Amino acid sequence: MTGGSSRIPPPAGDPLSLLPLVFARPADALAGARAVLSGLPGLPGLPGPPGAPSPHDASVAHQVIGIWHRDFGDLMVAIGHLRQARALAARSGSPNREADVLATLGAALIHAGRTRQGMAALETAVERGSGVTGARVLFRRGYAWWVLGGHREALDDLRRAIPTLRRAQDTIWTARALTLRATVHLAMGSVERAEADFVAAERLWDTTDQEHDKADAVESRGLAAFRSGDLPAALRLFDEAASRYEALGTPMFVLHIRRCGVLLAAGLAREALEEADAATEQLNRMGGQTTRSAELLLIAARAAIAAGEPHAAIARASTAIRLFSSQRRDWWQAHARLVLVQARFAAGKVSGRSVRDAAEVAVRLAELRSPEAVQASLLAGRTALALGWEADAERHLAAAARTRGRGPAFARVDGWVAQALRAAAAGRTRGVLDACRRGLDLLDEYRMTLGASELRARASAQGAELAVLAQRATLAGGSPRRFLGWSERWRATVLAVPPTRPPDDPELLRDVTAFREISSRVDTARPGGVPVPALEREQRRLEKEIRARTLRTRSAGGFDGHRFDAGLLLDGLGDGWLIEIVAVDGELHVLLCGRGRVRRFAAGRLADAAIDADHARAGLARIAYGGSEGRLPVLEAGGRRLQESLLGPAVRHLGDGPVVVVPPGRLHGVPWALLPALGERVLSVSPSASAWLRARRIEPSPAKERVVLVRGPGLATGGAEIPLLAARYGEATVLGSGTAVAPAVLAALDGSRLAHIAAHGTFRSDSPMFSSLRMDDGPLTVHDVERLHSAPYRIVLSSCDSGRLQPVGANELLGLAAALLPLGTAGIVASSVPVDDQAVVPLMLALHEGLRRGLSMAEALRDARLAMPGDALNRATGWSFSAIGGA
C-alpha cells in the first residue's frame, strides 16, 4: 500500500477530506471512515467526535465505505452503505451533501445492473446539486452515460461540468472529467481529441497524490496508444498501470478488458481468453460490478472466436447480451450482438437470417458511431457471398470498404479485405491483387512497429485472408511465376527483420538470469522426487515477466519491403531446384523452380500430409529410443507416402542437382531426407525462397574466424564429439564441464564463423520463445539468442528438437532456428525430432569433415548421411537432421 506524499495532508477534523483519500490511499480512507462511525480516533489529525457522529459526518463515512466496496469489494455491501449515507445526508439538511451521495449511489446502481434506479438517482442528484457539487454530479452522470454507451449524453454532461470545475480550481475533479471525456472520445474514434484531453489531465494529476486516479490515467493513455495502433506502447502503459494498481491493492477489471483487446490485436487470442476468464472468476467471487462482468464476457467471446472456439464464443456472447439488455446498455448490447453473429459464422451457421442479423447490427453500430460497424458490414458481405447473394454482398462490402482510408493501419486492413472480396466476386483479378497488396502493405507497416518477433509473427494472422484471396486469384490466372510471387509475399516476413532487443536492458538481463537459475534448481530437484511448487511458481512468474518485457519492445525499423524477383531466384539456383509448397484452401500446390522456369503441380491435401509427417516423426523417435530394426520398412513406406502427398507428380520432373525445399509453416517439421527422391541429394530447407536468397548472399566477414564448440550437461555420451572436434579445429573456443554457462556461451557465439552446440534441447510448443538448450547454469532460450549482436555464420545444433519451429500467425515460424536466421546466420544443421546421443557422434564428425573440406552445410550433411552404417538407428539419425538456410 502506498503512503502518499506530503502534498496532500492527512485528513484533519473534517471527514469530507476522506473522500479524495479513497483514490489516493484507499485502505487509509476505509480505516478513517470506520473510525468516524465508531467514534474512535482515525488518521493522525482526525480525532473521533465525542459520542455518535453527526448525520453529516456519518453520511460521509458511509459514502467512503460504499465507494470502497463499489470499486474494490462487494457491490451489494456498497449499495447498502450508500443508501444509509443518502438517508443520513437527508437528515443533515444539506442539499449538496444529499446530491453528492445520490450521485455515488446512482453510479453503484448502474454497475449493479439496476439502470433505471441508477439514472433516477442521478437525475435527482442533478436537480439538488449546485455550484461545484453540481458539476461533480454532472461528471458522475456523464460517467454513467459512458458505462451505458450513451456517448453523446456523456459529452453533454461533461461540457457543462468542466468549466465550473476549472473556475473553482478543483484540480482532482477537473482531471477526472478530462480523463473521462478523453475516454468517450476514444470510444467514438476521435483519437486526437482524446490525446489532447489525456495530456491536459496528466498535467493536473502530476500536482496531486491521487495514486489510484494516476494509475487510471496511465491505463487511459495505454488505451489511446492502442487505438492509434501503437501496441508496444499500449502494453508498456498497461503493465505500468497494473503495477500501480497492485501497489494500491486494488482490482483492475477494466484494465483486464482493455489489455485483452490489445492481446487480440497482437494475435495472442489464447492468452486473452485465459485472462478474461480468470478476471471474470475473480470478479464473481468477490461479488463485484455486474457491468464489468458483462464486459469481460464480451471480450472473452471475441477471444474465443480468435482462438478457434466458436461455440464457447456463442455461449459467452449470448450471456453478455442478456446482461447488457437487463442493464439497458444498448451500445454494449449492439457490440455483443456483433460478436454473436461472428461466432455463429465461425461455427458454420450461415443463412439468410445471418445476413439480416449482421446487416441490422451494422446499421445500429453506425448509428452509434462505433468503429466496429465495418466488422458487421464485412460479415454481412461475407455471409451473403457464401449464400450467392451477389447484390447484397456488394452493398455490404462496399460499406465496409469505405473505411480502408482512415484509422490506424491494422484497422484499415479490414477495409481492404472487403475491397478484395468485392473484386473477387466481380471476377476482377487485378482489383483483387491491388487490394491485397495494399492491405498487406498496411499490415506490414503496423507489424514493423512491433519489436518482438513473437508479436510480429502472431499479428500476421490478420492478413491471412488477403493472402489466400491473392493466391486464389493468381492460381486461377494460371501464372506459376505470379503464384510464386504471392506465396513469397506472405512467407516468413518476420524472418526478414531482426527483432529489437536492447541487450543492455538491466531489468531484462536480471530476470533472464534469475529464470535460468530457478530453472536449473527445478531440473536438479525433480529427478530426486523433491516437491518444488514454490520454485515452479517463481519460474512461471519470471517467464511471464520476461515475455511481457519483450512484447512491449518497439521496433527499430529497417524493413526494406517486398522485392521478390523470380528471375533472381532462378539465376541463383544454377543447376539446382527449389520446391516451394503452397497450401491454398487445404490443397497443396508444388512450385518447381529451376532451369529458368517455374512450374506448378497439384499435390495432396495439407491435413493428410500433416498426419503422415507426424507418423514419420513418431517412427524416427521410436527408433531413436530403442526401436527395433523391423520398424525400418514401416518408416520407409511412410516416406513414400509423404513424398506422394507433398510432391505429387512434381517429383517426376525433378532433374539432377541440389534441392531447396520451402514448405508451409505447418509442414516445417517434415524429415525431408526420408523422402526417397530427396534422401541422397544435397538438400536444404528454408522458410521462404527470399530467406534462402538472403542467406546465399551472406558472406562471412574476415572477423568471423572463431570456431566455438559447446558441450552441455547430461548427454549420454558426455558430448563425445566435442573433444574430437576440438583436436581437429586446433584453436577453437571450447566450453563445457562447468564453463558452458549462458553468458560465456553467448559471448563466444557472437560473431563466430562456426559454432557447434552439443546440448539437450527443449522445444516449447506452448511458448516457442522459451525453447532452449540446456547449459551448465540452466536453459539458454530464444530470448537469449535474440540478444546476439551478430549470430554465428554457421551453427550446428546436434541435440534433440533443436531445429523444431512452431508455426504461428500465417506461415510464420518461431523457435531457435527462426531466431538465428534474421540475425545473420547463413546455415544451420539441426534436428527436428528426438535423436540418439550415441548415433549422433559419428554423424557430426563426418559432417565437420565435409565442412573442413569447404563443402556447404547441405553438401556436408548429405555426405555424412550417406557415410553412416545401414542399420535402422544410424539411418534414422541421418534422416532426423536438416540443413536450414543457404550456406
Side-chain angles (χ1 to χ4, degrees):
M1 181 63 62
T2 60
S5 76
S6 59
R7 285 183 292 173
I8 286 187
D14 184 2
L16 283 172
S17 56
L18 289 170
L19 286 168
L21 201 65
V22 179
F23 299 101
R25 292 160 14 222
D28 289 348
L30 182 63
R34 287 172 174 166
V36 169
L37 293 178
S38 66
L40 297 175
L43 293 174
L46 183 63
S54 68
H56 179 281
D57 292 352
S59 169
V60 173
H62 279 291
Q63 184 181 7
V64 168
I65 297 172
I67 292 172
W68 191 94
H69 276 286
R70 182 195 67 191
D71 293 346
F72 314 132
D74 189 313
L75 189 55
M76 293 303 103
V77 173
I79 291 173
H81 278 283
L82 292 173
R83 289 193 188 282
Q84 286 182 271
R86 190 266 172 99
L88 289 162
R91 287 173 53 196
S92 74
S94 169
N96 274 336
R97 174 93 288 269
E98 188 176 1
D100 195 68
V101 175
L102 276 169
T104 305
L105 174 61
L109 290 167
I110 293 288
H111 279 305
R114 302 178 189 178
T115 302
R116 183 176 296 170
Q117 295 177 38
M119 290 308 294
L122 285 160
E123 291 295 336
T124 304
V126 170
E127 292 170 4
R128 298 190 183 181
S130 61
V132 173
T133 299
R136 292 176 179 180
V137 169
L138 282 170
F139 159 78
R140 280 175 282 187
R141 190 173 69 175
Y143 171 81
W145 279 123
W146 170 69
V147 170
L148 296 173
H151 298 133
R152 290 187 177 280
E153 293 87 346
L155 289 177
D156 286 342
D157 278 346
L158 293 169
R159 177 180 52 79
R160 294 169 58 192
I162 289 173
T164 302
L165 295 170
R166 277 178 165 157
R167 283 195 299 271
Q169 297 184 335
D170 189 337
T171 302
I172 292 173
W173 286 86
T174 302
R176 287 175 180 167
L178 289 170
T179 300
L180 177 59
R181 189 169 71 179
T183 306
V184 176
H185 281 316
L186 279 182
M188 299 178 71
S190 302
V191 177
E192 292 182 1
R193 290 181 179 180
E195 288 176 345
D197 276 345
F198 280 137
V199 169
E202 195 162 6
R203 290 198 193 101
L204 295 175
W205 287 130
D206 286 342
T207 67
T208 76
D209 269 1
Q210 294 296 112
E211 299 302 330
H212 187 272
D213 282 314
K214 285 183 177 181
D216 182 69
V218 173
E219 177 187 337
S220 298
R221 280 172 38 224
L223 179 62
F226 172 43
R227 294 290 170 82
S228 64
D230 191 345
L231 265 67
L235 288 169
R236 176 179 58 79
L237 290 164
F238 284 163
D239 287 347
E240 180 185 340
S243 297
R244 291 175 181 241
Y245 288 133
E246 286 169 5
L248 290 166
T250 61
M252 42 190 170
F253 297 109
V254 175
L255 177 59
H256 284 306
I257 295 164
R258 291 170 172 174
R259 190 171 184 276
C260 286
V262 177
L263 293 174
L264 281 175
L268 300 168
R270 179 59 54 187
E271 290 184 35
L273 180 57
E274 291 173 357
E275 181 167 339
D277 284 348
T280 301
E281 183 180 349
Q282 180 189 358
L283 181 66
N284 293 339
R285 195 166 53 243
M286 65 186 284
Q289 300 170 355
T290 58
T291 50
R292 301 306 178 207
S293 179
E295 292 164 29
L296 282 164
L297 280 168
L298 175 57
I299 196 68
R302 286 179 173 153
I305 295 172
E309 299 182 16
H311 294 290
I314 290 171
R316 288 172 171 84
S318 298
T319 304
I321 288 171
R322 288 195 297 272
L323 285 172
F324 289 135
S325 176
S326 68
Q327 296 164 4
R328 299 174 179 269
R329 301 172 72 188
D330 184 54
W331 189 90
W332 289 94
Q333 186 179 354
H335 286 77
R337 286 181 59 208
L338 168 61
V339 175
L340 179 61
V341 292
Q342 287 173 327
R344 286 172 174 165
F345 183 83
K349 298 180 179 181
V350 178
S351 66
R353 179 182 173 183
S354 303
V355 179
R356 290 190 294 273
D357 287 347
E360 288 173 4
V361 172
V363 171
R364 185 63 186 128
L365 290 173
E367 291 172 350
L368 294 168
R369 297 185 62 185
S370 169
E372 294 188 33
V374 61
Q375 295 282 342
S377 294
L378 182 56
L379 180 60
R382 277 201 185 102
T383 311
L385 280 179
L387 295 171
W389 297 2
E390 295 181 3
D392 292 273
E394 167 61 21
R395 184 174 70 258
H396 296 304
L397 292 173
R402 283 195 287 271
T403 66
R404 65 191 186 274
R406 60 179 183 270
F410 70 87
R412 290 156 59 192
V413 171
D414 287 328
W416 285 109
V417 170
Q419 185 69 3
L421 287 170
R422 291 177 70 199
R428 295 184 285 108
T429 299
R430 182 176 295 181
V432 173
L433 299 181
D434 179 67
C436 291
R437 184 185 70 254
R438 296 175 73 171
L440 292 176
D441 285 348
L442 276 174
L443 187 57
D444 283 336
E445 175 189 323
Y446 152 61
R447 285 199 296 163
M448 289 307 110
T449 67
L450 308 175
S453 53
E454 181 179 1
L455 272 192
R456 290 182 188 171
R458 295 189 184 278
S460 68
Q462 189 177 358
E465 186 173 7
L466 287 169
V468 169
L469 287 168
Q471 288 174 333
R472 285 176 186 161
T474 52
L475 193 59
S479 169
R481 280 204 184 202
R482 181 177 282 186
F483 189 46
L484 173 64
W486 276 99
S487 174
E488 282 297 299
R489 175 65 182 80
W490 197 237
R491 278 180 186 267
T493 305
V494 168
L495 301 185
V497 188
T500 300
R501 187 78 65 249
D504 56 350
D505 180 346
E507 293 183 339
L508 177 61
L509 290 173
R510 178 202 64 203
D511 287 343
V512 168
T513 302
F515 172 78
R516 190 177 298 117
E517 179 186 354
I518 290 291
S519 299
S520 180
R521 290 169 62 188
V522 169
D523 290 342
T524 301
R526 276 177 180 157
V530 179
V532 288
L535 290 178
E536 290 174 341
R537 283 196 298 271
E538 179 62 7
Q539 185 182 37
R540 290 192 294 270
R541 186 195 70 78
L542 287 167
E543 184 173 317
K544 182 179 179 181
E545 182 60 29
I546 292 166
R547 192 156 179 264
R549 287 189 183 281
T550 57
L551 292 182
R552 62 193 184 221
T553 305
R554 285 193 61 82
S555 172
F559 186 53
D560 62 357
H562 300 274
R563 299 189 179 91
F564 176 74
D565 186 326
L568 289 177
L569 172 65
L570 293 170
D571 291 343
L573 287 170
D575 63 350
W577 302 89
L578 183 139
I579 300 171
E580 183 144 328
I581 304 173
V582 186
V584 180
D585 297 326
E587 301 289 340
L588 296 178
H589 302 267
V590 179
L591 293 168
L592 182 59
C593 310
R595 308 298 195 269
R597 298 176 61 192
V598 179
R599 287 176 286 174
R600 184 184 67 82
F601 300 89
R605 291 189 54 79
L606 175 62
D608 296 336
I611 292 171
D612 289 341
D614 287 342
H615 288 163
R617 287 169 46 81
L620 290 170
R622 280 193 290 269
I623 292 176
Y625 290 137
S628 66
E629 189 80 19
R631 305 201 73 89
L632 193 60
V634 177
L635 193 57
E636 290 175 323
R640 290 190 291 272
R641 286 196 305 275
L642 255 180
Q643 178 168 292
E644 182 60 28
S645 60
L646 289 170
L647 303 183
V651 72
R652 296 191 290 273
H653 299 268
L654 193 60
D656 297 329
V659 172
V660 181
V661 178
V662 177
R666 190 174 170 187
L667 297 177
H668 232 279
V670 168
W672 297 98
L674 182 60
L675 276 60
L678 304 179
E680 297 186 2
R681 289 179 181 267
V682 174
L683 171 66
S684 57
V685 184
S686 179
S688 69
S690 302
W692 180 79
L693 281 172
R694 282 194 302 273
R696 293 271 292 177
R697 289 195 291 266
I698 296 174
E699 295 288 342
S701 67
K704 286 191 174 185
E705 291 300 321
R706 186 170 65 256
V707 174
V708 178
L709 305 172
V710 179
R711 178 173 55 186
L715 296 167
T717 65
E721 74 262 34
I722 297 299
L724 298 173
L725 292 173
R728 297 180 186 184
Y729 281 108
E731 296 184 358
T733 300
V734 182
L735 298 171
S737 301
T739 64
V741 293
V745 171
L746 289 170
L749 291 178
D750 216 323
S752 60
R753 176 172 61 87
L754 173 64
H756 180 112
I757 302 179
H760 281 303
T762 300
F763 180 73
R764 289 277 302 276
S765 59
D766 64 318
S767 188
M769 302 299 286
F770 281 92
S771 297
S772 61
L773 299 170
R774 186 180 173 192
M775 298 291 108
D776 288 330
D777 59 341
L780 181 77
T781 69
V782 176
H783 289 295
D784 291 303
V785 171
E786 286 193 334
R787 286 171 31 230
L788 290 170
H789 290 286
S790 176
Y793 174 67
R794 286 175 171 172
I795 188 167
V796 179
L797 303 171
S798 63
S799 59
C800 298
D801 283 345
S802 53
R804 283 187 67 185
L805 298 172
Q806 178 74 3
V808 298
N811 264 327
E812 298 289 0
L813 300 161
L814 294 176
L816 281 167
L820 290 162
L821 291 173
L823 292 172
T825 294
I828 303 169
V829 166
S831 165
S832 60
V833 294
V835 290
D836 180 87
D837 289 348
Q838 296 281 357
V840 163
V841 174
L843 181 71
M844 292 296 105
L845 294 176
L847 170 73
H848 279 274
E849 278 303 306
L851 295 177
R852 293 177 69 222
R853 295 199 311 270
L855 299 181
S856 69
M857 301 287 265
E859 291 168 334
L861 181 59
R862 188 272 311 267
D863 289 357
R865 189 182 292 124
L866 294 179
M868 295 289 280
D871 62 280
L873 179 59
N874 282 290
R875 293 187 69 187
T877 303
W879 287 329
S880 298
F881 282 86
S882 297
I884 305 170

